[in-house]
Amino acid sequence: MSLVEASVRAETGERVVAVPVACRLCGSDGVDEFEVWAGDCYCVGCLIAIGVWHGDDPATFPSPTLVFPWRLIPSVTPLPSLSSGDYFRCSGGSMVYQVAVAMVLGQDDAVRRISVGLRCSEHGELHLYIDNAHVEPSE
């Protein structure tokens, strides 16, 4: 979690919240492994995405109290491709990750920026999948 927490940069009056991601939908208690493809992270148990691109589903997003309709907007680091069907793989070839999300919250507790970190379940290798991407409302 320290990788993803350190990747977001809070400004004056903002705070950082970092949360590990576990699937709350598939009924498999403690499922915390995800495949990463098409720009999102999908539970290996039920294949439901956590919704890092839109943040509008409290049933799937890692923090149900910080959910509102948004969209990621490009920042300095390019965003993952939404159209790609390619799986994100670690150097050992594994496609399964533990996921952590860090969010910068404004004084109104709305999400301003988001980072998504991945830890390879097989090898422990760390990746920053989304790096301090700006968020804007999309209502």
Side-chain angles (χ1 to χ4, degrees):
M1 284 238 298
S2 59
L3 170 74
V4 71
E5 196 169 21
S7 71
V8 291
R9 292 164 281 289
E11 297 175 6
T12 303
E14 296 178 330
R15 63 188 174 97
V16 175
V17 174
V19 293
V21 179
C23 184
R24 297 190 316 265
L25 293 179
C26 72
S28 300
D29 291 335
V31 170
D32 66 350
E33 292 184 323
F34 297 82
E35 293 178 336
V36 180
W37 50 278
D40 214 326
C41 305
Y42 297 82
C43 170
V44 297
C46 65
L47 294 180
I48 301 293
I50 65 170
V52 297
W53 280 85
H54 47 75
D56 61 357
D57 186 352
T60 60
F61 192 70
S63 178
T65 60
L66 301 175
V67 174
F68 69 92
W70 73 47
R71 69 173 182 254
L72 294 180
I73 54 176
S75 53
V76 176
T77 305
L79 297 173
S81 171
L82 279 176
S83 61
S84 172
D86 294 336
Y87 284 83
F88 188 83
R89 297 174 190 266
C90 73
S91 62
S94 177
M95 300 183 306
V96 179
Y97 297 89
Q98 293 173 320
V99 179
V101 174
M103 297 160 279
V104 174
L105 307 179
Q107 291 180 351
D108 59 356
D109 279 343
V111 177
R112 302 286 190 245
R113 288 177 301 288
I114 188 169
S115 289
V116 176
L118 308 175
R119 181 183 175 278
C120 177
S121 295
E122 188 175 325
H123 305 291
E125 191 173 296
L126 300 175
H127 301 276
L128 193 56
Y129 188 61
I130 296 176
D131 184 8
N132 202 40
H134 291 268
V135 170
E136 66 182 15
S138 66
E139 297 179 293

